[in-house]
Amino acid sequence: MRQWRKRRGLSQLELAIGADVSSRHLSFIETGRSTPSRAMVLRLAAALEIPRREQNQLLVAAGLAPEYTERALDDPEMAAVRDGVERVLAAYEPFPCLAVDRTWRIVRANTSAGVLLGGVAPDLLEQPNALRIALHPDGLAPRIRNLGQWRHHLLERLRREVAVSGDALLAELLAELEGYPGGSWVEDELGGVVVPLELLSDEGVVLSLLSTVTTFGTALDLTAAELSIEAFLPADTGTAEALSLRAGR
């Protein structure tokens, strides 16, 4: 708990006020002089905005049962989640759409996502990671016209995720991606409102794509809670037409 408090840059008094507990009791919890109840662990976790997976770890450390289950996406009990993901992916056709887990591993993709995966080295597709595929020299990087800008955007996004979650796997991924070449950041052409992905398709057409993210906000299972569905929508008419023609072939 102390590590999370320091990661959030809070004093004991600030956290105590935010969680509506006494600073003395919080001090006892952090030093191990008091064993917190389940309700107290969850209250402090909410005040610290600790991700669900790490909330489970705090509960176990306090000798309590985890709050959130974790089932594989292919588990029979996850049928409703799988169906929901598939419906969202299909709804975005003919535009590319991916479902990724908390470490950016691609777990599902629609047919149109082929434009994002074509020409990628086979070894990168064995355990496909969306960020690694995007920035690796044997992935999409050679085809991204604004690579410096897109690389900056993705790395900043991942840095924020590492800072919020404290996830060691994400930290390792960030260190790996920072070592890839990619050029410098340049000012985007849309006035700083949004960063487009400018991708050269295998037909030689430059596609301008905007990404949107959908999550399961009320999920009580970790697998569902940590899923993100990322769709790439056309930023101009030419891109929309090119993707529609590609899908119709």
Side-chain angles (χ1 to χ4, degrees), residues 91-155:
Y92 276 108
E93 298 282 7
F95 309 134
C97 190
L98 307 168
V100 300
D101 66 12
R102 70 186 179 91
T103 61
W104 288 87
R105 182 175 64 92
I106 300 174
V107 296
R108 293 288 191 278
N110 67 3
T111 302
S112 296
V115 73
L116 301 176
L117 303 175
V120 173
D123 61 301
L124 292 177
L125 297 176
E126 291 177 2
Q127 294 183 324
N129 180 284
L131 296 186
R132 185 176 292 116
I133 287 172
L135 299 182
H136 196 285
D138 294 328
L140 287 181
R143 292 201 285 128
I144 297 178
R145 299 292 293 270
N146 60 333
L147 179 58
Q149 182 185 41
W150 189 248
R151 179 178 182 273
H152 175 83
H153 163 69
L154 292 184
L155 291 182

Side-chain angles (χ1 to χ4, degrees), residues 39-66:
M40 179 58 66
V41 172
L42 294 176
R43 179 188 297 183
L44 293 171
L48 289 168
E49 298 182 343
I50 298 175
R52 291 182 175 93
R53 180 175 297 275
E54 284 68 30
Q55 289 185 37
N56 271 358
Q57 294 175 359
L58 286 176
L59 287 166
V60 171
L64 302 166

